[in-house]
Amino acid sequence: MQLQNPTANQVCSEIELIGQYLPLENATVLELGCGTARMTRLLAERFPIKHIIATEVDEIQHAKNLASDYPSTIEFQKGGMQAIDAPDNSIDIVFMFKSLHHVPQHLLGQGLQEMTRVLKPGGMAWISEPVYAGEFNEILRLFHDEKWVREQAFVAVKAAVESGMLQLVEQIFCN
C-alpha cells in the first residue's frame, strides 16, 4: 500500500468506479459518516441496492438527513464506526467516503474492527480518502491542516491490512 502515487493522472468518477468494482445488486450496504448523504442518495438512485444504512455522528446533520426526502431503501442512523449498530456478518459492502480521517485517532483501530465484524464473509469495504497533496491543501492548511489526520487514517488501514483484518484488493489513485 502506498499513501500517494505522484504519477496518477487519471481523472475518474468515483460513482463509475464503484459500479465497475462492486457487486451492488440486492446488496445490504453500510455507509459510515454519510454527512449530507449526497453519495448515499446517489448510490440509491444509481444502483439496485436492497438496503442502505447511512450513519452520521453529527446530531444536527443526522436530524437534517432524517427530515429530508429520501428513498425507502435508505435508513439513517446516528452513530460512529467505533460502535456499529448492526449484527455480525450482516453487511455486504461498507462505504467510507472521505470520512475515515475524521474518526478520532484513538478510535480508528476499534472502528476498523467493527467494520470487519459487520461485513459478511467475502464482503467488501470501499474506503475513499483524499490524498494530502496539491495547491488546495496548501490553502486549506492555513486554517485547518488535515495532513496528520489523513496520514493516521492511512496508517490505520495499512495496519488492518498487514494484520490480516482486511485484505487489500486494489488501490486506485485519481485526480
Side-chain angles (χ1 to χ4, degrees), residues 127-148:
I127 302 171
S128 173
E129 278 293 305
V131 172
Y132 190 86
E135 294 175 5
F136 176 74
N137 287 294
E138 293 302 314
I139 296 167
L140 184 64
R141 77 181 197 161
L142 296 173
F143 57 93
H144 184 65
D145 191 348
E146 290 189 338
K147 183 175 194 265
W148 188 81

Side-chain angles (χ1 to χ4, degrees), residues 46-119:
R46 184 97 180 248
F47 302 108
I49 296 171
K50 180 169 91 176
H51 185 68
I52 302 174
I53 302 163
T55 68
E56 177 55 45
V57 296
D58 183 271
E59 290 183 30
I60 294 169
Q61 185 58 60
H62 176 62
K64 287 179 181 180
N65 290 341
L66 288 172
S68 67
D69 289 329
Y70 54 91
S72 62
T73 55
I74 297 174
E75 172 190 349
F76 288 112
Q77 291 183 3
K78 185 177 178 317
M81 76 178 297
Q82 73 278 5
I84 299 171
D85 185 17
D88 295 359
N89 306 315
S90 61
I91 304 295
D92 295 300
I93 299 169
V94 173
F95 284 106
M96 292 194 80
F97 296 108
K98 291 125 187 106
S99 58
L100 185 61
H101 69 277
H102 293 288
V103 175
Q105 183 196 11
H106 69 280
L107 296 176
L108 284 169
Q110 181 181 342
L112 290 166
Q113 287 177 344
E114 273 290 279
M115 184 177 73
T116 58
R117 176 188 67 78
V118 301
L119 277 170

